[in-house]
Amino acid sequence: MIIYDTKDNFRLIFSYEGSIWKKVLLPCFINILSTLIIWHFKIHKNTVSFSDSGHTFMAVMVSVLLVTRFKITYNRFRESSVHLCGLMTACRELIQHMIILSRYEKSNEACAWRFEESSCALINAL
């Protein structure tokens, strides 16, 4: 279990354990290194040039990736809402069973117990 200290934001963002840095650090360094090599050849040797069609292609690729990412996010949202609906249905059924099984108890303590258990079931579910 990883415990985060929210007082130190810099340490939280750049911590290596429990983050995505392990997966993306090497590709980031490769990207930076290739960019520096291309920049060096473009500035000092003047041998590297790119056409404008690359920008159009990259704009299309970025838009496709953004739409795909939004679709993934929306699917996760819908899946979690289905799970939340199932959780609330299970809580409602639990409360109904609890009320049915204790329906002959009419005392104030029994009413208070049903209310307390119903509240705890709903609060703990969320």
Side-chain angles (χ1 to χ4, degrees):
M1 176 184 215
I2 298 171
I3 299 172
Y4 294 105
D5 182 20
T6 57
K7 294 177 181 143
D8 189 6
N9 291 335
F10 186 77
R11 185 172 178 207
L12 180 65
I13 292 171
F14 292 106
S15 66
Y16 190 71
E17 287 298 320
S19 70
I20 196 74
W21 284 111
K22 291 178 185 177
K23 295 179 182 176
V24 299
L25 208 53
L26 182 63
C28 285
F29 283 135
I30 291 171
N31 189 14
I32 290 170
L33 185 64
S34 64
T35 303
L36 287 175
I37 290 171
I38 291 171
W39 177 76
H40 174 73
F41 280 120
K42 186 174 181 181
I43 297 297
H44 297 293
K45 309 283 186 193
N46 203 10
T47 57
V48 178
S49 65
F50 299 104
S51 67
D52 291 337
S53 64
H55 294 289
T56 306
F57 176 72
M58 285 304 293
V60 170
M61 289 303 297
V62 166
S63 65
V64 166
L65 291 174
L66 278 175
V67 168
T68 303
R69 190 64 163 162
F70 286 140
K71 182 177 183 258
I72 290 170
T73 305
Y74 181 71
N75 287 341
R76 285 183 182 171
F77 168 74
R78 293 296 304 154
E79 182 182 357
S80 64
S81 99
V82 167
H83 290 307
L84 184 63
C85 181
L87 178 69
M88 288 299 147
T89 303
C91 281
R92 184 179 63 217
E93 288 177 4
L94 175 68
I95 292 169
Q96 287 173 349
H97 285 275
M98 184 176 56
I99 290 171
I100 288 171
L101 293 174
S102 65
R103 68 179 174 255
Y104 296 116
E105 295 292 328
K106 303 288 185 192
S107 66
N108 288 337
E109 292 89 15
C111 290
W113 177 80
R114 284 192 290 262
F115 178 74
E116 182 182 342
E117 293 301 317
S118 302
S119 300
C120 286
L122 289 173
I123 290 172
N124 289 332
L126 296 177

